[in-house]
């Protein structure tokens, strides 16, 4: 499974809470840093299988 930050629009909303693209990018860095995903492109990560 991949996640591409370009798919998120500004002020992404989940359960009535809004998130910026910068917040989402920060979470992507944390996910990669924890070894749960790898960068496969600019702003694109591929989640590792568990």
């Amino acid at each position: 499974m991949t996640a591409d930050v370009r798919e998120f629009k500004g002020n992404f909303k989940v359960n009535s809470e809004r998130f910026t693209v910068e917040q989402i990018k920060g979470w992507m860095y944390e996910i990669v840093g924890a070894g749960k995903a790898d960068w496969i492109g600019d702003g694109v990560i591929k989640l590792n299988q568990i």
Side-chain angles (χ1 to χ4, degrees):
M1 175 181 286
T2 62
D4 186 338
V5 75
R6 295 171 295 185
E7 294 177 9
F8 299 103
K9 296 183 179 10
N11 289 322
F12 183 72
K13 188 175 180 181
V14 177
N15 292 332
S16 301
E17 191 170 347
R18 294 196 181 276
F19 303 97
T20 67
V21 170
E22 291 305 315
Q23 286 175 301
I24 295 168
K25 283 182 183 178
W27 297 329
M28 291 173 121
Y29 277 100
E30 289 183 30
I31 292 167
V32 170
K36 303 292 182 187
D38 296 304
W39 291 107
I40 60 171
D42 186 31
V44 183
I45 61 174
K46 181 175 181 184
L47 299 174
N48 298 329
Q49 291 185 340
I50 298 174

